[in-house]
Amino acid sequence: MTAELVRGQNHPLSQARLEIRVSAGKPIVAVATLSDEQGKVGDTERVVHPGTPTLPGLEVPRQAAAEHRLAVDLGALPDSVHRVHVLLALPTGAGGPTRFGAVAAPFVAVTGLDGTEVASYTITGLEAETAVVALELYRRQGAWKVRAVGQGYAGGLAELFADQGVPQAHQLAAAINDAVAQGLARSVAAPPPRTADGDRTRQAAAPGRGQDQGGSPYGTQTPQGTTPGRTGYPGGSTADPSTPADPSALTEPSVPAGGPIDYNHPRRRNSAPPPPPPVAPPAAPGQPARPVAGDATGWSMDERLYNQVWGMFEDLARSAAAYRSAVDFAESRMDKELEAVLSDPRSRIGGQADAAREAARARHSTLVDEARQAFDRDVAQLTAESDVVEPALPPAFARWDNPVWHGYRVPMEMPMALRLGDLYLPESAELRVPMLIRLPLERGLWIDSGRSGSSDGMFHDAHDLKRLAMESAVAHVARLLAVHPAGEFTVYVIDPAGSGAQTLVPLVQSGVLAAPPAVGAGGVADVLGALTQRVDLVQMAVRGGAADALPPGFDTSQNLVVVNDFPHGFDDRAVTQLRYLADEGPAVGVHLMMVADREDATAYGPLLDPLWRSLLRLTPVPDDHLADPWVGHAWTYEPSSVPPGSRVLQHVLDRVVAARTKHR
């Protein structure tokens, strides 16, 4: 039975390996400190936070989220640790709430690896506090207990750390906030919440177990024959009906830093969407059913495909997390067994020691092999699903080599999302998941033309990277033009030095640009001045409740400005206007696409850090810099490129121009 704690109450812990689950409704940061008997930390190395997410026996999430799971192994903690404090804090500078009194009361639960709650605590009474000590796990006479604390600090993590005796408390708090800001900037925003009746509901996954151990302390694995995370999915079976489902496993993805996305379409009913269509029967008794495209909830096929792709993304993320956790556990266990052999002088040498080492390595191999087999089953099932989903995707979701582009027609309305490329993990590099982002764009795009940690094994010099970055930008612009109705998306280009003239030829010659690319400092000033004025006018009209009072002939289309070779040709006024457009533009339909090398703007120092963080960074070559919103894996991003020699880009641009001419 779960112990529902109140402030100051404690409860014994009978298990060494635990999960601490946190739910707050808004993105928060989870931190943990390891302290002595007096509750003093004494060293920054004993603080576990998003910048340093793991220590022996403890792991915290790598980014801010509305829901967290912290992994604790009390048996693996150093003997000098007598207290573990779980801290929660609001991220700074993320555009979210600035005090806990403005959010729902955080809920914290201590659970076993099977999801069974041991104790829970709802932190009430918070007002101006921005950081809080939620729980304390403490050791008394060799036994561990949990205590509900609920002590808040208006001064944030810095004040909290100082109270716990952490040296350089303010510097550590600033480093944590910076790590969180970087995590928010690099994460792919989670999709909007889905209704329970049509959700790709995640089943309560059983912990992956070896033949003689209780399961991985940090992860779960799915039963054989099931696709990870989908109850009732036709490709697998559900859990044993006699086993009650774990309701805590049915959680929604993390909410992005800007708050929940409004999922209500202006022309869509607000009732629950219909369930997915019937699926194909199993190919043979006992075998997974053949996957079908559109196996998700939604009002339209496009919406079903969008939700299905995001479900595949989440399934692969969680399956990889289970595999990595199982491998980490196997390695940790082998290290402990080998250390035990070496610590005993009687078994340190000789045949007994060799046999013990061999047995430890054999158990490690068995655990890793079992984990890999489970992961490979999941990947095989997701690959089969991808094989049927990819050909069914509409142009906005499809790769450039998809035959759907040959029959392309300019749409009558804007789609719900857009494909920017593919994502994959090193454990399953052959399985690509489409990277879909919602439309209209909620943040600008940054095509990084500088040197990056390319994972394609190829060397690219600076000139090649700049050319590839512009080619990638042209492909993204063409796709954005293609998915919007005629006359509802306008593109401007700023190319101060004319360095991208050759790459921009398809856009210039086809006539899809609103004006020739702006060159020189004068061209930069003209374009940015006009767009800044546009943002000001729309904001004033909206705030004054007179959106219909805009000047006659005012262009109401979505606007995109592509900036190449920044900061060449930019003075201080132009830089300020650019930052203004990045911050205020998306809300009123003015979007930014930067093609730039951050190193070229080092003269501005930290002044431009908010600009870079506000943009979604993409690369012209494969690079593992993006994170998912569920477990924070580093995913390799691969840009969506036009196949060499293909004329699909010109075909699409010609269609866009023809539709515009007819529209006028």
Side-chain angles (χ1 to χ4, degrees), residues 76-267:
L77 294 173
D79 293 337
S80 59
V81 174
H82 289 264
R83 299 170 186 261
V84 178
H85 290 102
V86 178
L87 321 177
L88 307 178
L90 296 172
T92 60
T98 57
R99 59 187 183 90
F100 271 111
V103 302
F107 175 79
V108 187
V110 180
T111 75
L113 295 183
D114 59 355
T116 303
E117 284 192 7
V118 178
S120 65
Y121 173 42
T122 302
I123 309 173
T124 58
L126 299 178
E127 290 296 337
E129 295 88 346
T130 58
V132 61
V133 181
L135 294 178
E136 177 187 52
L137 310 181
Y138 64 99
R139 178 161 45 191
R140 184 71 52 82
Q141 297 179 348
W144 284 91
K145 295 183 178 182
V146 58
R147 176 185 290 121
V149 181
Q151 175 64 50
Y153 294 81
L157 285 175
E159 181 183 353
L160 193 160
F161 287 152
D163 191 39
Q164 292 193 350
V166 179
Q168 301 178 332
H170 286 80
Q171 293 89 328
L172 178 59
I176 293 174
N177 288 328
D178 185 60
V180 171
Q182 293 180 18
L184 291 172
R186 66 192 284 267
S187 65
V188 182
R194 292 168 297 209
T195 56
D197 55 350
D199 195 5
R200 292 163 61 100
T201 306
R202 297 192 291 277
Q203 72 183 54
R209 303 177 183 270
Q211 56 187 358
D212 60 350
Q213 49 94 12
S216 165
Y218 300 129
T220 58
Q221 295 188 15
T222 50
Q224 182 175 359
T226 64
T227 296
R230 278 175 281 178
T231 301
Y233 176 71
S237 61
T238 59
D240 184 350
S242 63
T243 304
D246 174 16
S248 61
L250 307 178
T251 57
E252 289 295 335
S254 306
V255 180
I261 302 171
D262 184 5
Y263 198 42
N264 294 323
H265 191 285
R267 292 183 297 277

Side-chain angles (χ1 to χ4, degrees), residues 25-394:
K26 294 288 185 180
I28 60 173
V29 184
V31 181
T33 58
L34 308 178
S35 56
D36 57 20
E37 289 182 281
Q38 287 71 43
K40 298 301 181 183
V41 179
D43 190 350
T44 57
E45 298 296 324
R46 289 195 166 192
V47 180
V48 194
H49 56 83
T52 307
T54 58
L55 283 178
L58 192 58
E59 182 177 2
V60 303
R62 291 168 170 79
Q63 58 194 44
E67 295 178 352
H68 289 294
R69 293 192 181 191
L70 289 70
V72 181
D73 186 352
L74 299 175
L77 294 173
D79 293 337
S80 59
V81 174
H82 289 264
R83 299 170 186 261
V84 178
H85 290 102
V86 178
L87 321 177
L88 307 178
L90 296 172
T92 60
T98 57
R99 59 187 183 90
F100 271 111
V103 302
F107 175 79
V108 187
V110 180
T111 75
L113 295 183
D114 59 355
T116 303
E117 284 192 7
V118 178
S120 65
Y121 173 42
T122 302
I123 309 173
T124 58
L126 299 178
E127 290 296 337
E129 295 88 346
T130 58
V132 61
V133 181
L135 294 178
E136 177 187 52
L137 310 181
Y138 64 99
R139 178 161 45 191
R140 184 71 52 82
Q141 297 179 348
W144 284 91
K145 295 183 178 182
V146 58
R147 176 185 290 121
V149 181
Q151 175 64 50
Y153 294 81
L157 285 175
E159 181 183 353
L160 193 160
F161 287 152
D163 191 39
Q164 292 193 350
V166 179
Q168 301 178 332
H170 286 80
Q171 293 89 328
L172 178 59
I176 293 174
N177 288 328
D178 185 60
V180 171
Q182 293 180 18
L184 291 172
R186 66 192 284 267
S187 65
V188 182
R194 292 168 297 209
T195 56
D197 55 350
D199 195 5
R200 292 163 61 100
T201 306
R202 297 192 291 277
Q203 72 183 54
R209 303 177 183 270
Q211 56 187 358
D212 60 350
Q213 49 94 12
S216 165
Y218 300 129
T220 58
Q221 295 188 15
T222 50
Q224 182 175 359
T226 64
T227 296
R230 278 175 281 178
T231 301
Y233 176 71
S237 61
T238 59
D240 184 350
S242 63
T243 304
D246 174 16
S248 61
L250 307 178
T251 57
E252 289 295 335
S254 306
V255 180
I261 302 171
D262 184 5
Y263 198 42
N264 294 323
H265 191 285
R267 292 183 297 277
R268 184 174 294 147
R269 292 170 291 178
N270 290 327
S271 57
V279 297
Q287 295 295 320
R290 301 182 185 92
V292 294
D295 179 30
T297 185
W299 288 108
S300 65
M301 188 61 175
D302 287 1
E303 189 173 358
R304 289 171 176 168
L305 288 168
Y306 171 82
N307 288 334
Q308 186 173 14
V309 168
W310 266 96
M312 294 165 58
F313 186 18
E314 181 179 3
D315 289 346
L316 183 55
R318 296 190 181 279
S319 185
Y323 169 68
R324 293 180 182 181
S325 296
V327 172
D328 289 344
F329 175 79
E331 292 177 351
S332 175
R333 174 176 179 154
M334 183 178 66
D335 290 342
K336 289 183 179 179
E337 291 177 344
L338 294 177
E339 182 180 353
V341 172
L342 294 174
S343 64
D344 188 352
R346 296 170 300 178
S347 61
R348 190 174 299 166
I349 58 176
Q352 184 179 357
D354 293 340
R357 293 189 189 96
E358 194 63 34
R361 295 189 181 99
R363 282 190 288 270
H364 170 270
S365 298
T366 299
L367 293 176
V368 172
D369 289 344
E370 289 178 352
R372 185 71 208 193
Q373 290 172 9
F375 178 69
D376 287 343
R377 287 195 299 269
D378 294 341
V379 170
Q381 206 157 346
L382 288 171
T383 301
E385 186 173 9
S386 176
D387 290 343
V388 299
V389 168
E390 277 287 354
L393 295 177

Side-chain angles (χ1 to χ4, degrees), residues 529-609:
L531 292 176
T532 301
Q533 184 181 30
R534 173 189 175 86
V535 172
D536 290 339
L537 283 173
V538 177
Q539 282 187 338
M540 286 189 294
V542 172
R543 291 170 182 170
D548 57 347
L550 291 169
F554 186 85
D555 180 15
T556 59
S557 67
Q558 298 279 316
N559 280 206
L560 173 72
V561 56
V562 182
V563 179
N564 182 38
D565 212 14
F566 177 81
H568 182 82
F570 281 72
D571 55 19
D572 290 345
R573 176 180 174 82
V575 170
T576 301
Q577 290 176 323
L578 192 69
R579 290 185 56 186
Y580 177 72
L581 292 178
D583 293 338
E584 305 294 335
V588 293
V590 177
H591 309 285
L592 179 63
M593 181 184 293
M594 297 273 289
V595 184
D597 179 359
R598 187 169 182 173
E599 294 298 320
D600 293 341
T602 52
Y604 289 93
L607 177 67
L608 292 181
D609 286 352

Side-chain angles (χ1 to χ4, degrees), residues 382-455:
L382 288 171
T383 301
E385 186 173 9
S386 176
D387 290 343
V388 299
V389 168
E390 277 287 354
L393 295 177
F397 302 174
R399 287 195 295 253
W400 283 112
D401 59 358
N402 193 311
V404 71
W405 287 106
H406 297 302
Y408 165 75
R409 295 291 185 274
V410 176
M412 298 300 293
E413 64 178 16
M414 180 180 66
M416 66 185 302
L418 180 81
R419 185 174 190 157
L420 291 180
D422 294 330
L423 298 169
Y424 63 90
L425 292 171
E427 293 90 347
S428 56
E430 72 285 350
L431 176 58
R432 261 64 169 175
V433 178
M435 178 181 171
L436 304 180
I437 63 168
R438 292 296 298 266
L439 290 178
L441 297 173
E442 296 181 339
R443 58 195 293 199
L445 304 177
W446 167 29
I447 317 297
D448 191 353
S449 60
R451 295 186 181 275
S452 61
S454 173
S455 58

